[in-house]
């Protein structure tokens, strides 16, 4: 199962990099200015920066609390996007 959200923002690359750097102290992370992957305990997180949006994909582990997983990611991104928070996450 993969859950995705397209989050409108013109600061996608900055938020992607901030979140990856933030979690790189605890989890395995790979990122550049356009893409980021985080091996999060609840499952993997993949992000892609576009000019007008941040694409966020979650691949929860079978035993993960999916609602909690979505909330943790959204809350952390909102901290970095405090000037435009809360960001609209429409998970699908």
């Amino acid at each position: 199962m993969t859950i995705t959200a397209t989050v409108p923002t013109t600061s996608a690359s900055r938020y992607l990099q901030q979140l990856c750097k933030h979690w790189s102290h605890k989890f395995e992370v790979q990122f550049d200015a356009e893409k980021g992957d985080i091996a999060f305990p609840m499952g993997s997180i993949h992000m892609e920066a576009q000019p007008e949006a941040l694409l966020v994909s979650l691949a929860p582990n079978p035993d993960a609390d999916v609602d909690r997983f979505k909330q943790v990611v959204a809350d952390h991104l909102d901290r970095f996007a405090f000037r435009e928070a809360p960001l609209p996450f429409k998970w699908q």
Side-chain angles (χ1 to χ4, degrees):
M1 168 175 45
T2 301
I3 302 160
T4 61
T6 301
V7 183
T9 179
T10 58
S11 301
S13 178
R14 184 173 72 205
Y15 299 154
L16 176 156
Q17 292 177 72
Q18 286 178 302
L19 186 61
C20 287
K21 287 176 187 176
H22 174 75
W23 276 334
S24 69
H25 303 289
K26 293 184 177 183
F27 313 121
E28 184 179 329
V29 173
Q30 294 180 334
F31 71 97
D32 59 27
E34 297 173 359
K35 290 188 251 179
D37 292 294
I38 303 167
F40 201 70
M42 288 186 250
S44 64
I45 303 168
H46 176 76
M47 296 177 287
E48 291 185 28
Q50 296 185 338
E52 300 294 324
L54 177 63
L55 303 179
V56 182
S57 298
L58 309 179
N61 296 332
D63 61 340
D65 179 340
V66 175
D67 289 332
R68 179 76 181 127
F69 192 9
K70 292 187 293 189
Q71 192 63 49
V72 167
V73 172
D75 286 350
H76 276 77
L77 283 168
D78 276 345
R79 283 187 214 159
F80 298 120
F82 63 92
R83 287 185 180 98
E84 58 181 314
L87 294 170
F89 286 83
K90 293 182 181 149
W91 297 104
Q92 300 177 356

